[in-house]
Amino acid sequence: AQDRAHRIGQTRPVTVYRLLMEGTLEEKVVERAERKLYLDRMLVEQGRLAVQMKGAAREELLGMIKFGADVVLKSDGAAITDADVDALIEKGTKRTTELAAKIKADCQHTLADYSMEAGDPSKLYELDGVEYDARGVNELIRKLRAATEKEGGQPGSRLKRQASEEGADAAALLLDLLTGNWATLRTLRMCDEPGAPPREGRTVHAIAKCRRDEIASVDQLAKAGAAAPLMPTQRCAYYTIDKREAPDRAWALVVRVLEQLGFEGLDSEDSSSRTATIPEALLEEFEARVVQPWQAAWRTFRASQRQRGGQADADGDADGSSARAEAGPGKATTAGDAAAGAGGSGAQTAEGVVAAWQQAAEAEKRASGDAIFAWGCLDWLSTQGRAADKKSDRSAWVVAAPDLLQAPDGLPPALKGVQIRAVGCGSRHAMLLTRAGEVYAWGRGVSGCLGVVASGCTSVPQPLRSLKLGGVAISAVSCGGEHSFLLSTTGALYSCGSNKRGQLGLGASAGEDVPLPGRVAIPGGGAGAAGRRAVAVSCGNAHTAVVLADGSLLTCGAADQGALGQDAGGGGGRRGGSEFEPVAVQGDSYSLGAVAMLSGAKSPVASASAGGLHTLALTRAGTLYGCGAGSWGRLGMGDDNKDKTAPTLVKAASHLGVCAVAAGWEHSLVLGSDGTPFFFGRTASSYTSLPTPVPGIGPSSGTPVSSLAVGRGYCAAIDREGGLWVWGAMPQHGALGLGEHNGSKIKSARQPTRVDALDGRFIVQAAAGAAHIVAIADSRLSSTTEMAVPAEARFGTTSQQDYDHAMCDSCEREDGPEGGALLFCDWCNRAYHLECHEPKIAAVPDGDWQCFNCKLERFSACQVCGMQDEINATLALCDTSSEDGGGCPHYGCCHIECLPAARRPPLQAVLDAEAAAAKEAREREEREKKESEDQSMAAVGGDEAAAEAPGVGDGDRD
């Protein structure tokens, strides 16, 4: 700062103040830095080399963060005045002088007696008498040694697994030691962790087991006199730890932990000697002393990463369970956790896998909420072109911030206070699933994708009555481009919507549009075939992927570029038609067909995700496969961007511990078991062809992720604290939910950005559509009592210039005829005087207000079918008033086609009368025009006759 001040021409003395927060870690860090500078200056003055002090590792510094946190959090946040600044500078100068004197007094020693032993004032890890040495590792090791010595053994002796109190204490301390430092120890190839992919190369466990068998064989030969007995140095195993497993900065910690496990021959001060000795006693008991604690630490660490905390579910599930799910709400995340739980440390049985997936399904049911938010392009009535028009941004109902669906305008009264289990978003429609197994749908019901018979549009969720009347309870929903799938609690599948490419799996005979959910036949799913029931379903743009209980993967729909993975010819089909109506090509599958490479017998699948033109599948072994379009790197296969007509292994994801997958339009997301999201695919005009950690979110940033959602060009993620993050570029007619900037809705974000409007609201699940997002929040886990987002955040702020000299849209004057106030509609932003609005308004309303035109366009729905706009119907409003005595007691707003035949107005007669009136008006206009022309001609003829008549002066005129 001083250098810059002089470079810009400042000639007067410049004083630089560094402001510190009193009582925090920053103050201690400055004190430590000043102390080291003083010591370095002493060394330089004596002509010696600078003392080498080992820097604190990142993990060690994290243990110091809590210092002074309570002081900062309890600050009242009062404003600081100029007088306060002067007082702060004066106090800071005094404290700086005191600190300099303290350092000078503490460091008055010579290099001869300088040391880093305990008690030295310059010791690196000691602050105010508290040692922050490797996150308390020394203290844990001391307690562990005390417990083992009390038990009667020596440090490094076998930890007996009896039920004694001493043995339990030693095992608990060892588990704490491993779990607390698992972030550093996890890179060691000690053994294979349950549920995780096998480690590359030979593990220490494999080496120990092999050496133990060799020693046993040699002993048998020596006993028979066929071989010489082994020497003591030969009755042990050796393992060399490379720097990828344990870097130099973590070497001391790794050595201390290995010594507690029984390893020998390592020096914590010398990282060049990395060969560990496994003595014979440890070889004999390696599973009990090393493998079991190691795997227990892995399970504990993973459970702590998944657990988000919160109160128990008071309502409980349908089966009486009241425990809350520990895993994230997403289907794929739950599936990955089930695969990990079913893995164990041995071979998996079919019964065990099925039981694990049943437990995962039950856990998923508990992740529910009672508040529904929606934002983005919610203009179900108009076309996308209108929604993308900036001039009609507000009238197109593009919501820039999360909007709470509330009864009666946005939510049916039947859903008020009901627990919502899941939501699904398609291109322009959405579905929600209640805990009771009932399904509601809303949005643009093109081709019948809403499943409510009508193919119109509605902004209020409508119940799928056909399923309820049939006694079908639903456990999962999935929405695609123009189709929807529903999974029942018994494993049966139902689908509705567009079947132009066979994406419904109902066969070619079902027709192109199916407005009611139809039963989908599962190959081999007859009576007694328990393994052939569906456990998961995912809808893409024009194809569908289904996972069965036995791990088989089935697909149907468009075979463009091999998206089905069936490799049955025609997989590289062409695209055509509009964005959501590709032209049918040879190779489309109108029924569910098996993906041969991913069957229950070969590679059982845990979860699958269908995207725009590609499909991702995660096996129960943790391996990731992809098929379909390879352009833009959406399959994550590096330089190989060719289309894959059969499932191909994504090698770059083998070591990531993937537990969830999400396929978007031209990009993909996968979730690691530690909560790290990985991205590959298109980002604007560039792309990433290998799984890459998403910056700014994940465990490294303090926000591990629990579930993912992907849309068209953008992504969403939920962290384990219930926060929602979004990034990417949403289509022109959408909004990410981040509000407005300079009057324009925010449609893109380069880095993951938290949706601040939802702060205090615990989000349990989110679904992404083409240009809209729907999220579920749980009010019981939320810190705020008001779930609705304030109007300022939803509608944005308007400049005062827009209000100054504003005129009424009706009378076009600033002042009203009766002096009434000027109101602004929250949707269209038009102004109306109280007396000019139709109908008149008695007083200024409280809260949000919409004009009559917006209400008429947005909330007018048929009283019979519930739809606002039906493609093949005409919505009519009754003009009569109930005050006239001849009002409309039955139908205030209704489709004419929904009225009983006897009550329908004579539309044809009206049209004929209008046509006759128009024809009569045209004829009358033509008659009047002809008469006018005749009169004009007559007047002109009279003037000419008068000019030609003979009169006086003819001779003179000649």
Side-chain angles (χ1 to χ4, degrees):
Q2 290 176 338
D3 177 70
R4 175 160 180 78
H6 289 295
R7 282 193 289 111
I8 64 176
Q10 177 64 266
T11 57
R12 292 180 297 176
V14 177
T15 303
V16 179
Y17 295 97
R18 178 174 180 177
L19 302 181
L20 307 179
M21 184 69 69
E22 186 177 11
T24 63
L25 174 64
E26 187 179 16
E27 182 180 1
K28 299 299 180 182
V29 171
V30 172
E31 178 181 351
R32 187 63 58 203
E34 293 290 343
R35 189 186 305 275
K36 187 177 183 303
L37 289 176
Y38 185 85
L39 294 174
D40 290 344
R41 188 164 58 251
M42 289 177 56
L43 296 171
V44 172
E45 290 174 356
Q46 299 190 24
R48 301 289 300 274
L49 295 176
V51 63
Q52 296 182 355
M53 301 178 63
K54 296 182 179 180
R58 175 178 178 273
E59 292 80 4
E60 299 166 355
L61 290 177
L62 288 177
M64 303 159 60
I65 294 300
K66 294 183 179 180
F67 180 84
D70 54 343
V71 178
V72 179
L73 296 177
K74 294 179 181 179
S75 60
D76 54 4
I80 299 179
T81 62
D82 292 340
D84 296 331
V85 173
D86 295 336
L88 286 175
I89 294 177
E90 181 180 357
K91 181 179 179 181
T93 303
K94 182 179 179 181
R95 291 290 301 274
T96 302
T97 304
E98 294 175 355
L99 177 61
K102 177 183 177 183
I103 294 175
K104 186 175 181 181
D106 291 344
C107 298
Q108 288 297 334
H109 52 73
T110 63
L111 293 178
D113 60 358
Y114 178 82
S115 66
M116 291 295 294
E117 299 297 331
D120 191 273
S122 61
K123 185 173 180 181
L124 180 62
Y125 302 115
E126 182 178 344
L127 292 176
D128 294 342
V130 179
E131 289 189 15
Y132 296 89
D133 190 359
R135 301 175 64 182
V137 172
N138 285 338
E139 183 65 19
L140 273 175
I141 292 177
R142 185 190 63 79
K143 293 181 179 179
L144 180 59
R145 288 176 176 172
T148 54
E149 291 175 359
K150 182 179 180 182
E151 175 182 4
Q154 297 297 328
S157 63
R158 176 181 179 181
L159 297 179
K160 299 181 180 179
R161 300 182 62 86
Q162 286 119 5
S164 63
E165 182 178 356
E166 293 83 358
D169 292 341
L173 290 172
L174 179 59
L175 182 61
D176 292 342
L177 177 64
L178 295 175
T179 305
N181 300 280
W182 187 257
T184 303
L185 302 175
R186 62 183 303 174
T187 54
L188 290 175
R189 289 194 290 266
M190 187 65 64
C191 61
D192 291 335
E193 289 83 6
R199 291 186 176 270
E200 298 179 358
R202 297 186 67 187
T203 62
V204 183
H205 182 203
I207 294 175
K209 185 178 180 180
C210 181
R211 185 56 181 165
R212 184 175 57 196
D213 296 340
E214 292 176 357
I215 294 175
S217 299
V218 174
D219 288 345
Q220 291 180 359
L221 294 176
K223 187 176 182 181
L230 295 174
M231 301 294 293
T233 55
Q234 297 176 327
R235 304 186 67 85
C236 56
Y238 300 92
Y239 180 76
T240 301
I241 306 172
D242 58 34
K243 291 189 177 183
R244 291 180 300 176
E245 297 179 77
D248 291 342
R249 64 177 182 273
W251 179 250
L253 171 63
V254 172
V255 171
R256 292 173 185 173
V257 173
L258 293 180
E259 287 177 349
Q260 295 306 308
L261 292 174
F263 289 79
E264 299 176 355
L266 296 174
D267 186 0
S268 60
E269 301 295 334
D270 184 10
S271 60
S272 60
S273 178
R274 291 175 165 267
T275 301
T277 302
I278 309 175
E280 183 180 5
L282 183 60
L283 288 176
E284 296 295 334
E285 303 172 351
F286 197 86
E287 286 75 12
R289 293 174 57 178
V290 179
V291 175
Q292 292 180 4
W294 195 271
Q295 293 183 349
W298 156 255
R299 294 189 183 95
T300 304
F301 176 81
R302 185 170 183 177
S304 64
Q305 291 292 306
R306 291 199 309 262
Q307 188 173 4
R308 295 181 301 189
Q311 65 187 47
D313 189 354
D315 298 334
D317 291 337
D319 58 357
S321 175
S322 61
R324 194 176 157 272
E326 294 181 357
K331 295 189 292 295
T333 305
T334 307
D337 295 336
S345 58
Q348 303 180 32
T349 62
E351 294 78 6
V353 172
V354 172
W357 287 105
Q358 290 176 348
Q359 295 174 1
E362 294 300 326
E364 182 184 353
K365 295 178 183 178
R366 306 186 189 102
S368 59
D370 53 4
I372 307 173
F373 294 89
W375 63 95
C377 180
L378 305 183
D379 189 6
W380 316 118
L381 304 181
S382 63
T383 62
Q384 292 186 0
R386 175 189 171 188
D389 185 6
K390 294 183 179 180
K391 295 182 180 179
S392 61
D393 205 18
R394 284 187 177 272
S395 62
W397 211 354
V398 178
V399 182
D403 184 23
L404 179 66
L405 302 184
Q406 303 183 71
D409 295 334
L411 203 67
L415 288 178
K416 187 175 182 180
V418 175
Q419 287 291 316
I420 308 300
R421 180 189 301 177
V423 291
C425 285
S427 293
R428 302 203 64 191
H429 70 288
M431 283 187 171
L432 64 86
L433 173 65
T434 67
R435 179 175 283 180
E438 299 179 356
V439 181
Y440 289 74
W442 73 103
R444 194 169 185 84
V446 179
S447 303
C449 58
L450 299 183
V452 292
V453 182
S455 59
C457 308
T458 176
S459 60
V460 180
Q462 302 296 321
L464 274 67
R465 296 188 177 92
S466 60
L467 295 176
K468 187 175 182 179
L469 293 175
V472 179
I474 302 300
S475 62
V477 296
S478 181
C479 302
E482 291 180 354
H483 69 292
S484 304
F485 258 75
L486 306 103
L487 174 62
S488 71
T489 55
T490 60
L493 287 171
Y494 297 85
S495 61
C496 59
S498 174
N499 195 39
K500 296 180 178 66
R501 305 293 302 274
Q503 55 263 52
L504 297 185
L506 298 175
S509 60
E512 292 187 350
D513 298 333
V514 181
L516 279 177
R519 179 74 176 267
V520 180
I522 299 178
R532 305 301 292 177
R533 60 183 182 85
V535 295
V537 61
S538 176
C539 294
N541 179 41
H543 70 288
T544 307
V546 177
V547 180
L548 302 185
D550 62 359
S552 299
L553 178 63
L554 308 179
T555 56
C556 64
D560 295 336
Q561 298 173 263
L564 300 183
Q566 298 177 6
D567 197 17
R574 61 183 178 87
R575 290 186 62 206
S578 64
E579 178 181 354
F580 301 114
E581 293 184 3
V583 174
V585 300
Q586 183 181 5
D588 291 349
S589 177
Y590 283 81
S591 301
L592 288 175
V595 179
M597 292 187 59
L598 298 177
S599 62
K602 294 182 178 180
S603 298
V605 175
S607 62
S609 180
L613 290 172
H614 70 293
T615 304
L616 297 179
L618 177 66
T619 66
R620 295 176 181 177
T623 54
L624 181 65
Y625 288 84
C627 61
S631 59
W632 296 104
R634 71 191 78 183
L635 296 182
M637 298 182 183
D639 297 334
D640 186 5
N641 288 337
K642 297 180 180 179
D643 299 345
K644 306 297 180 183
T645 58
T648 305
L649 176 65
V650 183
K651 297 180 181 179
S654 300
H655 66 287
L656 302 180
V658 178
C659 67
V661 295
W665 183 260
E666 293 176 330
H667 65 287
S668 305
L669 278 178
V670 297
L671 182 63
S673 58
D674 60 348
T676 301
F678 296 88
F679 174 91
F680 48 96
R682 183 175 182 177
T683 54
S685 59
S686 62
Y687 67 93
T688 302
S689 58
L690 289 174
T692 304
V694 179
I697 191 172
S700 60
S701 302
T703 54
V705 175
S706 61
S707 64
L708 305 170
V710 289
R712 183 178 173 86
Y714 69 95
C715 307
I718 302 176
D719 60 37
R720 290 171 181 170
E721 299 298 328
L724 181 64
W725 301 72
V726 293
W727 69 96
M730 190 174 270
Q732 185 64 28
H733 49 277
L736 285 176
L738 302 177
E740 298 183 356
H741 179 69
N742 294 333
S744 299
K745 294 176 173 58
I746 299 177
K747 296 175 171 56
S748 62
R750 293 185 178 181
Q751 301 291 337
T753 306
R754 186 183 176 95
V755 182
D756 294 335
L758 293 175
D759 284 350
R761 299 158 182 86
F762 196 98
I763 306 300
V764 296
Q765 188 183 355
H772 66 284
I773 302 176
V774 179
I776 306 175
D778 193 345
S779 61
R780 298 167 299 177
L781 301 178
S782 302
S783 59
T784 181
T785 56
E786 179 60 38
M787 298 300 291
V789 177
E792 304 83 44
R794 287 187 286 125
F795 302 118
T797 57
T798 306
S799 173
Q800 187 62 34
Q801 297 179 356
D802 296 336
Y803 291 107
D804 295 340
H805 309 293
M807 293 187 298
C808 175
D809 193 72
S810 178
C811 67
E812 298 183 353
R813 294 189 302 176
E814 294 186 23
D815 300 328
E818 301 177 7
L822 192 65
L823 292 179
F824 290 84
C825 176
D826 287 322
W827 284 123
C828 64
N829 212 30
R830 295 177 179 176
Y832 296 91
H833 291 119
L834 295 179
E835 61 272 16
C836 294
H837 185 267
E838 290 291 341
K840 293 184 178 180
I841 304 174
V844 177
D846 296 332
D848 300 345
W849 178 76
Q850 295 86 28
C851 64
F852 179 75
N853 291 331
C854 289
K855 289 184 177 180
L856 184 67
E857 181 180 1
R858 299 298 171 189
F859 303 117
S860 296
C862 178
Q863 302 296 320
V864 177
C865 68
M867 308 300 290
Q868 293 177 275
D869 179 30
E870 232 289 348
I871 297 177
N872 300 318
T874 304
L875 187 66
L877 300 177
C878 184
D879 291 333
T880 60
S881 173
S882 58
E883 299 176 357
D884 301 337
C888 184
H890 301 291
Y891 309 105
C893 178
C894 181
H895 290 125
I896 295 178
E897 288 75 7
C898 293
L899 288 168
R903 293 181 176 271
R904 294 179 184 176
L907 289 181
Q908 191 60 43
V910 173
L911 295 177
D912 294 342
E914 292 179 353
K919 182 178 180 181
E920 183 180 355
R922 287 195 303 271
E923 292 177 351
R924 182 171 59 252
E925 184 179 355
E926 291 177 356
R927 289 196 303 268
E928 293 176 355
K929 184 177 180 181
K930 184 176 181 181
E931 292 176 358
S932 177
E933 291 177 353
D934 293 343
Q935 293 177 0
S936 299
M937 292 295 294
V940 172
D943 294 340
E944 293 178 352
E948 295 178 355
V952 182
D954 291 342
D956 297 338
R957 184 170 62 252
D958 296 337

